Amino acid sequence: MLYWFYRHLDINLFQYITVRAGFAFFIAFVLTIYLMPFFIAWAKAKKASQPINKFVPKAHLKKRDTPTMGGVVFIFATIVATLLSAKLNNPFVVGAMVTLIGFCLIGYSDDVGKVVSGNNLHGLSARAKFGLQLFVGGAIALFLIYFAGFDTRFYIPFVKFPLFDMGWGAVGFWALVIVAASNAVNLTDGLDGLATVPSIFALFSLGVIIYITGNAILSSYLLWPKIIGVGEVTIVASALIGALIGFLWYNCNPAEVFMGDSGSLSVGAFLGYMAILGKSEILLILIGAIFVIETVSVIAQVGSYKLRGKRIFLMAPIHHHFEMKQWAENKIIVRFWIIAFIANLLALITLKIR
């Protein structure tokens, strides 16, 4: 809508991505802040609360009546803000909305299964969940190549030239990036606000990278790949940041609502999508350092137990390990936020080193 004002009413202010990104941020923030209390009241009335896994620390039992699926609200707010602020005939914006909606629906199906059964393990089966994620991720990758004409060359940090052209291999690689990021955020979402703030940091960093990628002057100055039209996705990222900050108002400890898989899967998938658009698939490891650490802790724990019959951590993901060591929940959360902030600061510094 705002871009329509620029094209048809000649309001030049709305031609700028930064201006429309600012509007998108506040629209999504206000919508989330306004709608979330209604959702929380509805979820409590319907007993749509988060089932607590019997294997997690016993301190989590006090959270068993906390509503879940809050991700539906902030993803809805993000989509509305995008529809009102972004250029809707931009294929990269369309891909962004498909990513958010597609993975939100997968997560919603998983959440509903858990709520109905009253068991944290009785949502979608691992095979069905992964299969659906891979299908949607692959469809997004194909969309980028066939409809958006996206560059399939592969870049790494510190090198200004592409290493090689992935060709058809890009479909599998991009699908893997999206699915891996989606599940990494999902694994991290275990404490109040733990996944929310690192996601905000990551969205900001990737938003900066996306903006540079779509800007001829900045991309040339920083020797960064230039891809026309990609910068518009900065508006979607800004909207999601605003929505997540609104969600954090209710998700900070002690949480009044959890994002559920409907939120964590979609946020993670969108981070992967943005990394692809910004040619930062490898840099995403640093940008999403907390998510990587959480995922690696689970892989290491399972691998060690299967190979040696011994555990590395008291419990995985690693935030549960620190809970078992009697760290206060707020201490774990804030320290993880600090690590995420520093990692993203380092990632942004690397932009000048080419």
PDB file of all heavy atoms in Angstrom, residues 2-3 14-18 20-21 24 82 85-94 96 207 210-211 213-215 227-238 270 277:
ATOM      1  N   LEU A   2       1.897   1.289   0.833  1.00  0.00           N
ATOM      2  CA  LEU A   2       2.759   2.462   0.897  1.00  0.00           C
ATOM      3  C   LEU A   2       3.487   2.680  -0.420  1.00  0.00           C
ATOM      4  O   LEU A   2       3.656   3.817  -0.868  1.00  0.00           O
ATOM      5  CB  LEU A   2       3.764   2.322   2.048  1.00  0.00           C
ATOM      6  CG  LEU A   2       3.173   2.265   3.456  1.00  0.00           C
ATOM      7  CD1 LEU A   2       4.276   2.158   4.495  1.00  0.00           C
ATOM      8  CD2 LEU A   2       2.306   3.491   3.727  1.00  0.00           C
ATOM      9  N   TYR A   3       3.897   1.581  -1.065  1.00  0.00           N
ATOM     10  CA  TYR A   3       4.561   1.707  -2.360  1.00  0.00           C
ATOM     11  C   TYR A   3       3.562   2.193  -3.416  1.00  0.00           C
ATOM     12  O   TYR A   3       3.922   2.946  -4.323  1.00  0.00           O
ATOM     13  CB  TYR A   3       5.165   0.363  -2.788  1.00  0.00           C
ATOM     14  CG  TYR A   3       6.052   0.478  -4.012  1.00  0.00           C
ATOM     15  CD1 TYR A   3       7.342   0.995  -3.909  1.00  0.00           C
ATOM     16  CD2 TYR A   3       5.593   0.078  -5.264  1.00  0.00           C
ATOM     17  CE1 TYR A   3       8.153   1.114  -5.020  1.00  0.00           C
ATOM     18  CE2 TYR A   3       6.397   0.196  -6.392  1.00  0.00           C
ATOM     19  CZ  TYR A   3       7.673   0.712  -6.261  1.00  0.00           C
ATOM     20  OH  TYR A   3       8.487   0.830  -7.375  1.00  0.00           O
ATOM     21  N   PHE A  14       7.765   7.397   0.168  1.00  0.00           N
ATOM     22  CA  PHE A  14       7.521   5.961   0.233  1.00  0.00           C
ATOM     23  C   PHE A  14       8.285   5.150  -0.819  1.00  0.00           C
ATOM     24  O   PHE A  14       8.102   3.947  -0.924  1.00  0.00           O
ATOM     25  CB  PHE A  14       6.027   5.675   0.127  1.00  0.00           C
ATOM     26  CG  PHE A  14       5.231   6.206   1.285  1.00  0.00           C
ATOM     27  CD1 PHE A  14       4.046   6.889   1.080  1.00  0.00           C
ATOM     28  CD2 PHE A  14       5.682   6.033   2.585  1.00  0.00           C
ATOM     29  CE1 PHE A  14       3.313   7.387   2.148  1.00  0.00           C
ATOM     30  CE2 PHE A  14       4.959   6.529   3.658  1.00  0.00           C
ATOM     31  CZ  PHE A  14       3.773   7.204   3.441  1.00  0.00           C
ATOM     32  N   GLN A  15       9.125   5.827  -1.591  1.00  0.00           N
ATOM     33  CA  GLN A  15       9.952   5.063  -2.526  1.00  0.00           C
ATOM     34  C   GLN A  15      11.137   4.424  -1.812  1.00  0.00           C
ATOM     35  O   GLN A  15      11.739   3.482  -2.310  1.00  0.00           O
ATOM     36  CB  GLN A  15      10.469   5.964  -3.654  1.00  0.00           C
ATOM     37  CG  GLN A  15      11.520   6.987  -3.202  1.00  0.00           C
ATOM     38  CD  GLN A  15      12.104   7.770  -4.343  1.00  0.00           C
ATOM     39  OE1 GLN A  15      12.690   7.186  -5.258  1.00  0.00           O
ATOM     40  NE2 GLN A  15      11.924   9.084  -4.319  1.00  0.00           N
ATOM     41  N   TYR A  16      11.465   4.933  -0.628  1.00  0.00           N
ATOM     42  CA  TYR A  16      12.657   4.474   0.086  1.00  0.00           C
ATOM     43  C   TYR A  16      12.362   3.221   0.915  1.00  0.00           C
ATOM     44  O   TYR A  16      11.414   3.188   1.709  1.00  0.00           O
ATOM     45  CB  TYR A  16      13.200   5.577   1.002  1.00  0.00           C
ATOM     46  CG  TYR A  16      13.595   6.821   0.245  1.00  0.00           C
ATOM     47  CD1 TYR A  16      12.831   7.982   0.340  1.00  0.00           C
ATOM     48  CD2 TYR A  16      14.709   6.831  -0.589  1.00  0.00           C
ATOM     49  CE1 TYR A  16      13.169   9.128  -0.353  1.00  0.00           C
ATOM     50  CE2 TYR A  16      15.064   7.982  -1.298  1.00  0.00           C
ATOM     51  CZ  TYR A  16      14.288   9.115  -1.174  1.00  0.00           C
ATOM     52  OH  TYR A  16      14.636  10.239  -1.881  1.00  0.00           O
ATOM     53  N   ILE A  17      13.204   2.222   0.744  1.00  0.00           N
ATOM     54  CA  ILE A  17      13.051   0.972   1.484  1.00  0.00           C
ATOM     55  C   ILE A  17      13.155   1.220   2.984  1.00  0.00           C
ATOM     56  O   ILE A  17      12.391   0.649   3.771  1.00  0.00           O
ATOM     57  CB  ILE A  17      14.121  -0.047   1.026  1.00  0.00           C
ATOM     58  CG1 ILE A  17      13.792  -0.545  -0.387  1.00  0.00           C
ATOM     59  CG2 ILE A  17      14.210  -1.224   2.000  1.00  0.00           C
ATOM     60  CD1 ILE A  17      14.857  -1.444  -0.990  1.00  0.00           C
ATOM     61  N   THR A  18      14.089   2.076   3.387  1.00  0.00           N
ATOM     62  CA  THR A  18      14.293   2.322   4.821  1.00  0.00           C
ATOM     63  C   THR A  18      13.049   2.920   5.469  1.00  0.00           C
ATOM     64  O   THR A  18      12.701   2.566   6.609  1.00  0.00           O
ATOM     65  CB  THR A  18      15.491   3.270   5.029  1.00  0.00           C
ATOM     66  OG1 THR A  18      15.338   4.422   4.162  1.00  0.00           O
ATOM     67  CG2 THR A  18      16.800   2.581   4.704  1.00  0.00           C
ATOM     68  N   ARG A  20       9.832   2.603   4.407  1.00  0.00           N
ATOM     69  CA  ARG A  20       8.783   1.591   4.455  1.00  0.00           C
ATOM     70  C   ARG A  20       9.129   0.485   5.456  1.00  0.00           C
ATOM     71  O   ARG A  20       8.245  -0.103   6.069  1.00  0.00           O
ATOM     72  CB  ARG A  20       8.551   1.022   3.055  1.00  0.00           C
ATOM     73  CG  ARG A  20       7.829   2.027   2.156  1.00  0.00           C
ATOM     74  CD  ARG A  20       7.508   1.491   0.775  1.00  0.00           C
ATOM     75  NE  ARG A  20       8.676   1.419  -0.067  1.00  0.00           N
ATOM     76  CZ  ARG A  20       9.125   0.323  -0.656  1.00  0.00           C
ATOM     77  NH1 ARG A  20       8.493  -0.829  -0.467  1.00  0.00           N
ATOM     78  NH2 ARG A  20      10.192   0.349  -1.420  1.00  0.00           N
ATOM     79  N   ALA A  21      10.434   0.206   5.639  1.00  0.00           N
ATOM     80  CA  ALA A  21      10.845  -0.778   6.650  1.00  0.00           C
ATOM     81  C   ALA A  21      10.502  -0.271   8.049  1.00  0.00           C
ATOM     82  O   ALA A  21      10.070  -1.043   8.921  1.00  0.00           O
ATOM     83  CB  ALA A  21      12.338  -1.051   6.542  1.00  0.00           C
ATOM     84  N   ALA A  24       6.810  -0.708   8.507  1.00  0.00           N
ATOM     85  CA  ALA A  24       6.515  -2.137   8.684  1.00  0.00           C
ATOM     86  C   ALA A  24       6.831  -2.579  10.108  1.00  0.00           C
ATOM     87  O   ALA A  24       6.081  -3.355  10.717  1.00  0.00           O
ATOM     88  CB  ALA A  24       7.322  -2.967   7.686  1.00  0.00           C
ATOM     89  N   THR A  82       3.851  -6.486   5.990  1.00  0.00           N
ATOM     90  CA  THR A  82       4.496  -6.627   4.681  1.00  0.00           C
ATOM     91  C   THR A  82       3.547  -6.243   3.558  1.00  0.00           C
ATOM     92  O   THR A  82       3.914  -5.522   2.619  1.00  0.00           O
ATOM     93  CB  THR A  82       4.983  -8.076   4.475  1.00  0.00           C
ATOM     94  OG1 THR A  82       5.946  -8.402   5.489  1.00  0.00           O
ATOM     95  CG2 THR A  82       5.635  -8.253   3.106  1.00  0.00           C
ATOM     96  N   SER A  85       3.325  -2.518   3.402  1.00  0.00           N
ATOM     97  CA  SER A  85       4.540  -1.718   3.254  1.00  0.00           C
ATOM     98  C   SER A  85       5.437  -2.089   2.082  1.00  0.00           C
ATOM     99  O   SER A  85       6.166  -1.229   1.567  1.00  0.00           O
ATOM    100  CB  SER A  85       5.376  -1.807   4.545  1.00  0.00           C
ATOM    101  OG  SER A  85       4.608  -1.493   5.678  1.00  0.00           O
ATOM    102  N   ALA A  86       5.424  -3.336   1.667  1.00  0.00           N
ATOM    103  CA  ALA A  86       6.392  -3.792   0.673  1.00  0.00           C
ATOM    104  C   ALA A  86       5.851  -3.726  -0.752  1.00  0.00           C
ATOM    105  O   ALA A  86       4.644  -3.588  -0.983  1.00  0.00           O
ATOM    106  CB  ALA A  86       6.829  -5.222   0.993  1.00  0.00           C
ATOM    107  N   LYS A  87       6.763  -3.840  -1.705  1.00  0.00           N
ATOM    108  CA  LYS A  87       6.419  -3.915  -3.120  1.00  0.00           C
ATOM    109  C   LYS A  87       6.023  -5.355  -3.416  1.00  0.00           C
ATOM    110  O   LYS A  87       6.869  -6.250  -3.480  1.00  0.00           O
ATOM    111  CB  LYS A  87       7.636  -3.496  -3.954  1.00  0.00           C
ATOM    112  CG  LYS A  87       7.383  -3.382  -5.435  1.00  0.00           C
ATOM    113  CD  LYS A  87       8.664  -2.912  -6.131  1.00  0.00           C
ATOM    114  CE  LYS A  87       8.464  -2.839  -7.640  1.00  0.00           C
ATOM    115  NZ  LYS A  87       9.712  -2.422  -8.335  1.00  0.00           N
ATOM    116  N   LEU A  88       4.748  -5.611  -3.615  1.00  0.00           N
ATOM    117  CA  LEU A  88       4.228  -6.974  -3.632  1.00  0.00           C
ATOM    118  C   LEU A  88       4.474  -7.724  -4.939  1.00  0.00           C
ATOM    119  O   LEU A  88       4.277  -8.942  -4.986  1.00  0.00           O
ATOM    120  CB  LEU A  88       2.727  -6.968  -3.313  1.00  0.00           C
ATOM    121  CG  LEU A  88       2.370  -6.396  -1.936  1.00  0.00           C
ATOM    122  CD1 LEU A  88       0.874  -6.407  -1.731  1.00  0.00           C
ATOM    123  CD2 LEU A  88       3.085  -7.155  -0.825  1.00  0.00           C
ATOM    124  N   ASN A  89       4.897  -7.019  -5.977  1.00  0.00           N
ATOM    125  CA  ASN A  89       5.244  -7.731  -7.209  1.00  0.00           C
ATOM    126  C   ASN A  89       6.728  -8.088  -7.270  1.00  0.00           C
ATOM    127  O   ASN A  89       7.236  -8.523  -8.292  1.00  0.00           O
ATOM    128  CB  ASN A  89       4.847  -6.915  -8.441  1.00  0.00           C
ATOM    129  CG  ASN A  89       5.581  -5.586  -8.525  1.00  0.00           C
ATOM    130  OD1 ASN A  89       6.274  -5.187  -7.590  1.00  0.00           O
ATOM    131  ND2 ASN A  89       5.424  -4.891  -9.642  1.00  0.00           N
ATOM    132  N   ASN A  90       7.405  -7.897  -6.148  1.00  0.00           N
ATOM    133  CA  ASN A  90       8.807  -8.285  -6.043  1.00  0.00           C
ATOM    134  C   ASN A  90       8.867  -9.781  -5.720  1.00  0.00           C
ATOM    135  O   ASN A  90       8.320 -10.218  -4.698  1.00  0.00           O
ATOM    136  CB  ASN A  90       9.485  -7.472  -4.933  1.00  0.00           C
ATOM    137  CG  ASN A  90      10.968  -7.788  -4.783  1.00  0.00           C
ATOM    138  OD1 ASN A  90      11.341  -8.916  -4.486  1.00  0.00           O
ATOM    139  ND2 ASN A  90      11.804  -6.793  -4.986  1.00  0.00           N
ATOM    140  N   PRO A  91       9.510 -10.598  -6.561  1.00  0.00           N
ATOM    141  CA  PRO A  91       9.509 -12.052  -6.328  1.00  0.00           C
ATOM    142  C   PRO A  91      10.178 -12.467  -5.028  1.00  0.00           C
ATOM    143  O   PRO A  91       9.796 -13.478  -4.426  1.00  0.00           O
ATOM    144  CB  PRO A  91      10.264 -12.603  -7.544  1.00  0.00           C
ATOM    145  CG  PRO A  91      11.083 -11.457  -8.041  1.00  0.00           C
ATOM    146  CD  PRO A  91      10.280 -10.230  -7.770  1.00  0.00           C
ATOM    147  N   PHE A  92      11.152 -11.689  -4.566  1.00  0.00           N
ATOM    148  CA  PHE A  92      11.843 -12.041  -3.329  1.00  0.00           C
ATOM    149  C   PHE A  92      10.950 -11.806  -2.110  1.00  0.00           C
ATOM    150  O   PHE A  92      11.045 -12.526  -1.116  1.00  0.00           O
ATOM    151  CB  PHE A  92      13.154 -11.257  -3.216  1.00  0.00           C
ATOM    152  CG  PHE A  92      14.079 -11.474  -4.367  1.00  0.00           C
ATOM    153  CD1 PHE A  92      14.384 -10.447  -5.247  1.00  0.00           C
ATOM    154  CD2 PHE A  92      14.633 -12.729  -4.597  1.00  0.00           C
ATOM    155  CE1 PHE A  92      15.229 -10.650  -6.316  1.00  0.00           C
ATOM    156  CE2 PHE A  92      15.482 -12.946  -5.670  1.00  0.00           C
ATOM    157  CZ  PHE A  92      15.782 -11.907  -6.543  1.00  0.00           C
ATOM    158  N   VAL A  93      10.089 -10.806  -2.184  1.00  0.00           N
ATOM    159  CA  VAL A  93       9.110 -10.568  -1.117  1.00  0.00           C
ATOM    160  C   VAL A  93       8.081 -11.689  -1.103  1.00  0.00           C
ATOM    161  O   VAL A  93       7.700 -12.199  -0.040  1.00  0.00           O
ATOM    162  CB  VAL A  93       8.420  -9.204  -1.301  1.00  0.00           C
ATOM    163  CG1 VAL A  93       7.253  -9.048  -0.332  1.00  0.00           C
ATOM    164  CG2 VAL A  93       9.413  -8.072  -1.112  1.00  0.00           C
ATOM    165  N   VAL A  94       7.641 -12.099  -2.291  1.00  0.00           N
ATOM    166  CA  VAL A  94       6.695 -13.218  -2.391  1.00  0.00           C
ATOM    167  C   VAL A  94       7.318 -14.474  -1.781  1.00  0.00           C
ATOM    168  O   VAL A  94       6.678 -15.189  -1.001  1.00  0.00           O
ATOM    169  CB  VAL A  94       6.306 -13.485  -3.868  1.00  0.00           C
ATOM    170  CG1 VAL A  94       5.459 -14.742  -3.980  1.00  0.00           C
ATOM    171  CG2 VAL A  94       5.568 -12.283  -4.440  1.00  0.00           C
ATOM    172  N   ALA A  96       9.604 -14.615   0.481  1.00  0.00           N
ATOM    173  CA  ALA A  96       9.701 -14.424   1.934  1.00  0.00           C
ATOM    174  C   ALA A  96       8.372 -14.767   2.614  1.00  0.00           C
ATOM    175  O   ALA A  96       8.342 -15.455   3.644  1.00  0.00           O
ATOM    176  CB  ALA A  96      10.092 -12.983   2.242  1.00  0.00           C
ATOM    177  N   GLY A 207      19.270  -8.375   7.716  1.00  0.00           N
ATOM    178  CA  GLY A 207      18.600  -7.249   7.080  1.00  0.00           C
ATOM    179  C   GLY A 207      19.600  -6.246   6.524  1.00  0.00           C
ATOM    180  O   GLY A 207      19.431  -5.724   5.418  1.00  0.00           O
ATOM    181  N   ILE A 210      21.143  -7.884   3.439  1.00  0.00           N
ATOM    182  CA  ILE A 210      20.192  -7.870   2.325  1.00  0.00           C
ATOM    183  C   ILE A 210      20.098  -6.474   1.711  1.00  0.00           C
ATOM    184  O   ILE A 210      20.055  -6.310   0.488  1.00  0.00           O
ATOM    185  CB  ILE A 210      18.795  -8.319   2.815  1.00  0.00           C
ATOM    186  CG1 ILE A 210      18.802  -9.798   3.205  1.00  0.00           C
ATOM    187  CG2 ILE A 210      17.731  -8.042   1.770  1.00  0.00           C
ATOM    188  CD1 ILE A 210      18.697 -10.741   2.071  1.00  0.00           C
ATOM    189  N   TYR A 211      20.055  -5.468   2.565  1.00  0.00           N
ATOM    190  CA  TYR A 211      19.971  -4.089   2.073  1.00  0.00           C
ATOM    191  C   TYR A 211      21.205  -3.739   1.243  1.00  0.00           C
ATOM    192  O   TYR A 211      21.093  -3.120   0.175  1.00  0.00           O
ATOM    193  CB  TYR A 211      19.822  -3.118   3.244  1.00  0.00           C
ATOM    194  CG  TYR A 211      19.626  -1.685   2.815  1.00  0.00           C
ATOM    195  CD1 TYR A 211      18.392  -1.249   2.330  1.00  0.00           C
ATOM    196  CD2 TYR A 211      20.675  -0.765   2.878  1.00  0.00           C
ATOM    197  CE1 TYR A 211      18.199   0.061   1.922  1.00  0.00           C
ATOM    198  CE2 TYR A 211      20.504   0.552   2.471  1.00  0.00           C
ATOM    199  CZ  TYR A 211      19.260   0.955   1.992  1.00  0.00           C
ATOM    200  OH  TYR A 211      19.085   2.249   1.575  1.00  0.00           O
ATOM    201  N   THR A 213      23.131  -5.865  -0.324  1.00  0.00           N
ATOM    202  CA  THR A 213      23.096  -6.683  -1.542  1.00  0.00           C
ATOM    203  C   THR A 213      22.228  -6.050  -2.621  1.00  0.00           C
ATOM    204  O   THR A 213      22.540  -6.141  -3.816  1.00  0.00           O
ATOM    205  CB  THR A 213      22.562  -8.098  -1.223  1.00  0.00           C
ATOM    206  OG1 THR A 213      23.353  -8.671  -0.182  1.00  0.00           O
ATOM    207  CG2 THR A 213      22.617  -8.998  -2.437  1.00  0.00           C
ATOM    208  N   GLY A 214      21.156  -5.390  -2.226  1.00  0.00           N
ATOM    209  CA  GLY A 214      20.245  -4.779  -3.197  1.00  0.00           C
ATOM    210  C   GLY A 214      20.571  -3.343  -3.532  1.00  0.00           C
ATOM    211  O   GLY A 214      19.878  -2.733  -4.349  1.00  0.00           O
ATOM    212  N   ASN A 215      21.606  -2.789  -2.901  1.00  0.00           N
ATOM    213  CA  ASN A 215      21.972  -1.394  -3.127  1.00  0.00           C
ATOM    214  C   ASN A 215      23.238  -1.315  -3.984  1.00  0.00           C
ATOM    215  O   ASN A 215      24.294  -1.802  -3.584  1.00  0.00           O
ATOM    216  CB  ASN A 215      22.189  -0.698  -1.778  1.00  0.00           C
ATOM    217  CG  ASN A 215      22.423   0.783  -1.912  1.00  0.00           C
ATOM    218  OD1 ASN A 215      23.455   1.226  -2.394  1.00  0.00           O
ATOM    219  ND2 ASN A 215      21.445   1.571  -1.469  1.00  0.00           N
ATOM    220  N   ILE A 227      22.487  -7.834  -6.225  1.00  0.00           N
ATOM    221  CA  ILE A 227      21.338  -8.538  -6.786  1.00  0.00           C
ATOM    222  C   ILE A 227      20.142  -7.592  -6.748  1.00  0.00           C
ATOM    223  O   ILE A 227      19.661  -7.212  -5.674  1.00  0.00           O
ATOM    224  CB  ILE A 227      21.028  -9.823  -5.995  1.00  0.00           C
ATOM    225  CG1 ILE A 227      22.263 -10.735  -5.966  1.00  0.00           C
ATOM    226  CG2 ILE A 227      19.841 -10.556  -6.609  1.00  0.00           C
ATOM    227  CD1 ILE A 227      22.135 -11.931  -5.072  1.00  0.00           C
ATOM    228  N   ILE A 228      19.668  -7.209  -7.920  1.00  0.00           N
ATOM    229  CA  ILE A 228      18.585  -6.238  -8.033  1.00  0.00           C
ATOM    230  C   ILE A 228      17.290  -6.788  -7.414  1.00  0.00           C
ATOM    231  O   ILE A 228      16.891  -7.911  -7.690  1.00  0.00           O
ATOM    232  CB  ILE A 228      18.342  -5.878  -9.516  1.00  0.00           C
ATOM    233  CG1 ILE A 228      19.589  -5.216 -10.097  1.00  0.00           C
ATOM    234  CG2 ILE A 228      17.134  -4.953  -9.659  1.00  0.00           C
ATOM    235  CD1 ILE A 228      19.518  -4.997 -11.589  1.00  0.00           C
ATOM    236  N   GLY A 229      16.662  -5.976  -6.570  1.00  0.00           N
ATOM    237  CA  GLY A 229      15.360  -6.318  -6.004  1.00  0.00           C
ATOM    238  C   GLY A 229      15.406  -6.989  -4.650  1.00  0.00           C
ATOM    239  O   GLY A 229      14.391  -7.023  -3.936  1.00  0.00           O
ATOM    240  N   VAL A 230      16.561  -7.494  -4.268  1.00  0.00           N
ATOM    241  CA  VAL A 230      16.672  -8.224  -2.999  1.00  0.00           C
ATOM    242  C   VAL A 230      16.446  -7.313  -1.799  1.00  0.00           C
ATOM    243  O   VAL A 230      15.894  -7.727  -0.777  1.00  0.00           O
ATOM    244  CB  VAL A 230      18.060  -8.914  -2.916  1.00  0.00           C
ATOM    245  CG1 VAL A 230      18.394  -9.294  -1.485  1.00  0.00           C
ATOM    246  CG2 VAL A 230      18.083 -10.162  -3.778  1.00  0.00           C
ATOM    247  N   GLY A 231      16.841  -6.047  -1.909  1.00  0.00           N
ATOM    248  CA  GLY A 231      16.746  -5.123  -0.781  1.00  0.00           C
ATOM    249  C   GLY A 231      15.341  -4.964  -0.230  1.00  0.00           C
ATOM    250  O   GLY A 231      15.159  -4.626   0.943  1.00  0.00           O
ATOM    251  N   GLU A 232      14.329  -5.229  -1.060  1.00  0.00           N
ATOM    252  CA  GLU A 232      12.938  -5.094  -0.626  1.00  0.00           C
ATOM    253  C   GLU A 232      12.599  -6.031   0.529  1.00  0.00           C
ATOM    254  O   GLU A 232      11.705  -5.751   1.340  1.00  0.00           O
ATOM    255  CB  GLU A 232      12.009  -5.347  -1.816  1.00  0.00           C
ATOM    256  CG  GLU A 232      10.592  -4.894  -1.636  1.00  0.00           C
ATOM    257  CD  GLU A 232      10.397  -3.388  -1.738  1.00  0.00           C
ATOM    258  OE1 GLU A 232      11.335  -2.695  -2.199  1.00  0.00           O
ATOM    259  OE2 GLU A 232       9.307  -2.906  -1.351  1.00  0.00           O
ATOM    260  N   VAL A 233      13.331  -7.134   0.641  1.00  0.00           N
ATOM    261  CA  VAL A 233      13.072  -8.110   1.713  1.00  0.00           C
ATOM    262  C   VAL A 233      13.469  -7.539   3.075  1.00  0.00           C
ATOM    263  O   VAL A 233      13.035  -8.044   4.117  1.00  0.00           O
ATOM    264  CB  VAL A 233      13.800  -9.438   1.413  1.00  0.00           C
ATOM    265  CG1 VAL A 233      13.574 -10.466   2.515  1.00  0.00           C
ATOM    266  CG2 VAL A 233      13.310 -10.006   0.089  1.00  0.00           C
ATOM    267  N   THR A 234      14.262  -6.470   3.071  1.00  0.00           N
ATOM    268  CA  THR A 234      14.585  -5.774   4.321  1.00  0.00           C
ATOM    269  C   THR A 234      13.305  -5.356   5.041  1.00  0.00           C
ATOM    270  O   THR A 234      13.244  -5.359   6.276  1.00  0.00           O
ATOM    271  CB  THR A 234      15.438  -4.527   4.036  1.00  0.00           C
ATOM    272  OG1 THR A 234      16.590  -4.893   3.272  1.00  0.00           O
ATOM    273  CG2 THR A 234      15.884  -3.862   5.328  1.00  0.00           C
ATOM    274  N   ILE A 235      12.276  -5.027   4.280  1.00  0.00           N
ATOM    275  CA  ILE A 235      10.998  -4.606   4.860  1.00  0.00           C
ATOM    276  C   ILE A 235      10.348  -5.761   5.617  1.00  0.00           C
ATOM    277  O   ILE A 235       9.815  -5.583   6.714  1.00  0.00           O
ATOM    278  CB  ILE A 235      10.065  -4.083   3.744  1.00  0.00           C
ATOM    279  CG1 ILE A 235      10.659  -2.814   3.128  1.00  0.00           C
ATOM    280  CG2 ILE A 235       8.653  -3.826   4.273  1.00  0.00           C
ATOM    281  CD1 ILE A 235       9.984  -2.367   1.845  1.00  0.00           C
ATOM    282  N   VAL A 236      10.417  -6.959   5.050  1.00  0.00           N
ATOM    283  CA  VAL A 236       9.855  -8.141   5.719  1.00  0.00           C
ATOM    284  C   VAL A 236      10.628  -8.423   7.010  1.00  0.00           C
ATOM    285  O   VAL A 236      10.035  -8.722   8.048  1.00  0.00           O
ATOM    286  CB  VAL A 236       9.897  -9.374   4.802  1.00  0.00           C
ATOM    287  CG1 VAL A 236       9.122 -10.535   5.433  1.00  0.00           C
ATOM    288  CG2 VAL A 236       9.345  -9.062   3.420  1.00  0.00           C
ATOM    289  N   ALA A 237      11.961  -8.311   6.924  1.00  0.00           N
ATOM    290  CA  ALA A 237      12.798  -8.540   8.109  1.00  0.00           C
ATOM    291  C   ALA A 237      12.479  -7.532   9.199  1.00  0.00           C
ATOM    292  O   ALA A 237      12.378  -7.883  10.385  1.00  0.00           O
ATOM    293  CB  ALA A 237      14.269  -8.456   7.725  1.00  0.00           C
ATOM    294  N   SER A 238      12.302  -6.277   8.809  1.00  0.00           N
ATOM    295  CA  SER A 238      11.975  -5.234   9.780  1.00  0.00           C
ATOM    296  C   SER A 238      10.615  -5.494  10.427  1.00  0.00           C
ATOM    297  O   SER A 238      10.448  -5.309  11.636  1.00  0.00           O
ATOM    298  CB  SER A 238      11.970  -3.866   9.080  1.00  0.00           C
ATOM    299  OG  SER A 238      11.685  -2.835   9.994  1.00  0.00           O
ATOM    300  N   PHE A 270      12.974 -18.423   7.784  1.00  0.00           N
ATOM    301  CA  PHE A 270      13.157 -17.100   7.184  1.00  0.00           C
ATOM    302  C   PHE A 270      14.603 -16.629   7.326  1.00  0.00           C
ATOM    303  O   PHE A 270      15.140 -15.973   6.427  1.00  0.00           O
ATOM    304  CB  PHE A 270      12.199 -16.093   7.816  1.00  0.00           C
ATOM    305  CG  PHE A 270      12.258 -14.736   7.189  1.00  0.00           C
ATOM    306  CD1 PHE A 270      11.918 -14.560   5.857  1.00  0.00           C
ATOM    307  CD2 PHE A 270      12.646 -13.630   7.926  1.00  0.00           C
ATOM    308  CE1 PHE A 270      11.976 -13.305   5.265  1.00  0.00           C
ATOM    309  CE2 PHE A 270      12.706 -12.372   7.351  1.00  0.00           C
ATOM    310  CZ  PHE A 270      12.370 -12.207   6.013  1.00  0.00           C
ATOM    311  N   LEU A 277      19.533 -15.150   0.184  1.00  0.00           N
ATOM    312  CA  LEU A 277      19.414 -13.933  -0.618  1.00  0.00           C
ATOM    313  C   LEU A 277      20.636 -13.034  -0.461  1.00  0.00           C
ATOM    314  O   LEU A 277      21.027 -12.347  -1.404  1.00  0.00           O
ATOM    315  CB  LEU A 277      18.158 -13.147  -0.225  1.00  0.00           C
ATOM    316  CG  LEU A 277      16.799 -13.797  -0.480  1.00  0.00           C
ATOM    317  CD1 LEU A 277      15.684 -12.787  -0.230  1.00  0.00           C
ATOM    318  CD2 LEU A 277      16.699 -14.343  -1.894  1.00  0.00           C
TER     319      LEU A 277
END
